[in-house]
Amino acid sequence: MSFVFSYSHRDGAIHIKVPDSGMPEILAWAPSRLDAASISDRASRINGMDDPPPSAVILPTGGAGFFGWPAIQGHRDGQDFTLLFANWRHEERDGALMLRAHDAVARVSVALRIAIHDGDVLTFATTLTNEGDTPYMLERCMARSMVAPAGPATLTTFTGMWGREFQQRETACPDRLTVQESRRGRTSHDRFPALVFKQGAKQIAMHLGFSGNHVIAMDPLDDGRRLIHAGELFEPGEMRLQPNESYESPPLFFARDPAALRNHVRKKILAWPNGSMRPRPVTLNSWEGNYFDHKIEALKAQIDEATSLGIERFVLDDGWFGKRNDDTSSLGDWDIDPAKYPDGFKPLVDHTLACGLEFGIWIEPEMVNPDSDLFRAHPDWALQIAGRPLLTSRNQLVLDLTRPDVFDYLFSKFDQLLRANAISYLKWDMNRDLTFAGDHSGRAATSRQTRAFYRLMEKLRSAHPDVEVESCASGGGRADYGVLKYTHRIWTSDCTDPLERLSIQDGARIFLPPEILGSHISASPNHQTHRVTTLDFRALVAFAYHFGVELDPTKLDADAKAKLRDWIALHKELRPHLHDADAQFALAPLDGRYVWGAITDKRAVVIIAQGAQMQSEHPAPLTLPMRGSHLKRWRVTKCHPVEPDFIRINESQKKFLKGEGDASAFDLAEIGINLPMLRPESGVVLIFDAEDREARHG
């Protein structure tokens, strides 16, 4: 006979129905503990079954009257292809609820881990263990199947490509099975493992914290509700569990608001040196300013100029090792190029530190060029399948991190590099997807490769806990909560064009804290799109994120340097406010206008950018999510640039932007500001400060 119990943790609780056999159901998620109550069973003869199985369960299995998409699936050489878990028991361990059961026929056990975080985030993971004496072929094991309500609803998913990541797509929820699969061996640019389900004012946000292959499936149930499944995607035969061997799924994160997930990343996932995030250093990255042309005196001159501009970190990008003069050679040969750096890094590092800047470098540990000493010595170290071609991408192959000799080689190289040099930052790149990803035995290795990558990062972080790490994968191709356990920054996109970045960053910040999203001012014309934009527009688009510069500052004229210096100084002044998690906001884009920033009860920093030309003749009034009393008065205390590129501004608008008038919080939140139209590819930062007095009313 089934029973119902409540599990509570701090200020949240879940209500669970546990059957004699089969899978448990989560009946409710409430802000506080619920009294366990008797819940009636489903009506008989659903799907023609006299004893209908529940369908909205944590992880449905097939073969026993549930005819939907199974969340767990496997077999033992064609037998034991159905699973029916029984004798459930539960316990609290390490701040989480553990539900355990066993299938005596299939000789498989399951452990479900459910944790409540701060009342507003649930995390789930599944562990399956082969308790038989022969191998068990696990074909599918989701982290969790999430129940979404019946009725009309929309689904926001994320697609894109290299240089165009995090593009939001909102569609009506289909009434059929819908599956998203990614087989790229990394989070991917085109199939970010997250979604937002919306139904009226209610929403569900979900993210799979994993950097490898994944699957997300939405399946309608017989009562109109939906099950949304998420977990790792296995290649054929990849997850073959030997006797007593277990598989543990990646974690699935679930909240009613993406803001709760962002806060969870900040509080529970990011592991900062010394325990907390310090102000994010303004960064000069050398890539677009130099590419592979490393001349130490020219780099020193750029560092000198960066110092005068107020930049705080210098990152030396690709081209410092082996004989790396283009992208065709030397990946894997992780020794400093003596032709470019005859005395090693010491002269450049010493100069950087003497200028007061931190020093970082670019690395791509998982890759190897066929034209490299490493590959010539160890051609068997690349992921490959015998008899299949070695497919290169960006002239490179993928090293098999599952091999102990490869793992040890990479760790020793970077451990030695970090011990010998005052390097405080690594930009860790991954510039290709996985193809023919097999190990030396010919078995699929993507899952083990992903976990070996995590172990390598973890080992390096443990050996060098003060070093910060950036996750880059041709831009935002590896941006998930799994990699953020070991890293501190996401390189949002290889495309630095500010017009493209508007939509990229607007999508990325839904699930990722904006203060860890790298956003740089690059040269004009842009190196990816050749678009010409003003320095003000480039700076404004990057302003609220992890701010940086991606150009050669010695090539700027005096006017551009003065402008850049002003933007950097303003960013550093406002950085504590912009990176205050409780203050951040972003409005939905409207007619090409993007609005974001940070608002407290004392100050509002509002960034307004116009991307494409508006279709309307006049912008809609701008309403802001104000804090504090609605009667409090607010005044513009700074407008940057001082003269934004407005079209047809009138005198009253000019006075308001000069701080010659004020408005109540109610006016700003409910009535809105009638701002002039901005020209395409321009914007403005407005700083409002609250005054002590409040508006009269009566």
Side-chain angles (χ1 to χ4, degrees), residues 178-193:
T178 305
V179 180
Q180 170 184 293
E181 296 182 342
S182 177
R183 289 183 169 84
R184 295 181 179 272
R186 52 182 176 174
T187 317
S188 84
H189 298 75
D190 60 331
R191 299 179 186 187
F192 183 60

Side-chain angles (χ1 to χ4, degrees), residues 262-323:
R262 294 194 298 271
N263 282 331
H264 182 76
V265 171
R266 295 179 178 106
K267 295 176 182 178
K268 300 292 179 68
I269 295 179
L270 291 168
W272 295 103
N274 301 314
S276 62
M277 184 186 81
R278 61 191 175 97
R280 299 291 75 217
V282 178
T283 298
L284 172 63
N285 193 82
S286 73
W287 178 240
E288 290 189 21
N290 299 269
Y291 292 104
F292 298 100
D293 186 18
H294 288 216
K295 294 182 175 64
I296 191 166
E297 293 307 317
L299 291 170
K300 286 181 178 180
Q302 292 173 40
I303 292 165
D304 290 339
E305 198 66 66
T307 305
S308 72
L309 293 170
I311 288 169
E312 299 162 303
R313 173 186 283 159
F314 174 72
V315 178
L316 185 68
D317 212 291
D318 195 356
W320 56 265
F321 54 92
K323 299 174 182 177

Side-chain angles (χ1 to χ4, degrees), residues 271-468:
W272 295 103
N274 301 314
S276 62
M277 184 186 81
R278 61 191 175 97
R280 299 291 75 217
V282 178
T283 298
L284 172 63
N285 193 82
S286 73
W287 178 240
E288 290 189 21
N290 299 269
Y291 292 104
F292 298 100
D293 186 18
H294 288 216
K295 294 182 175 64
I296 191 166
E297 293 307 317
L299 291 170
K300 286 181 178 180
Q302 292 173 40
I303 292 165
D304 290 339
E305 198 66 66
T307 305
S308 72
L309 293 170
I311 288 169
E312 299 162 303
R313 173 186 283 159
F314 174 72
V315 178
L316 185 68
D317 212 291
D318 195 356
W320 56 265
F321 54 92
K323 299 174 182 177
R324 182 80 164 171
N325 297 312
D326 54 36
D327 67 2
T328 64
S329 76
S330 299
L331 280 176
D333 300 339
W334 296 109
D335 295 306
I336 299 169
D337 184 353
K340 294 175 181 175
Y341 301 96
D343 299 312
F345 275 155
K346 183 173 172 51
L348 187 62
V349 172
D350 287 351
H351 186 81
T352 304
L353 299 181
C355 288
L357 277 66
E358 301 171 21
F359 185 81
I361 59 166
W362 174 97
I363 60 175
E364 194 173 7
E366 298 146 85
M367 302 299 161
V368 64
N369 287 124
D371 182 9
S372 67
D373 292 341
L374 182 69
F375 186 76
R376 282 185 284 271
H378 301 285
D380 56 327
W381 280 16
L383 282 175
Q384 55 191 291
I385 299 175
R388 303 300 184 195
L390 280 172
L391 299 177
T392 58
S393 177
R394 199 175 182 255
N395 305 299
Q396 60 197 50
L397 301 168
V398 183
L399 289 171
D400 183 356
L401 270 61
T402 70
R403 292 179 58 127
D405 46 4
V406 175
F407 186 99
D408 293 343
Y409 168 81
L410 292 172
F411 174 78
S412 65
K413 281 293 184 184
F414 294 112
D415 177 57
Q416 181 183 16
L417 186 70
L418 292 172
R419 292 185 187 280
N421 300 278
I423 296 167
S424 60
Y425 187 84
L426 294 176
K427 180 181 177 181
W428 188 308
D429 210 343
M430 181 196 188
N431 272 309
R432 62 157 293 173
D433 300 319
L434 305 191
T435 51
F436 289 142
D439 63 12
H440 66 281
S441 70
R443 300 184 67 86
T446 305
S447 181
R448 287 178 288 130
Q449 176 82 359
T450 304
R451 286 165 171 79
F453 155 69
Y454 287 157
R455 290 198 305 275
L456 180 59
M457 269 205 163
E458 184 174 34
K459 189 171 183 179
L460 276 170
R461 285 289 317 281
S462 296
H464 304 277
D466 294 332
V467 175
E468 290 189 12

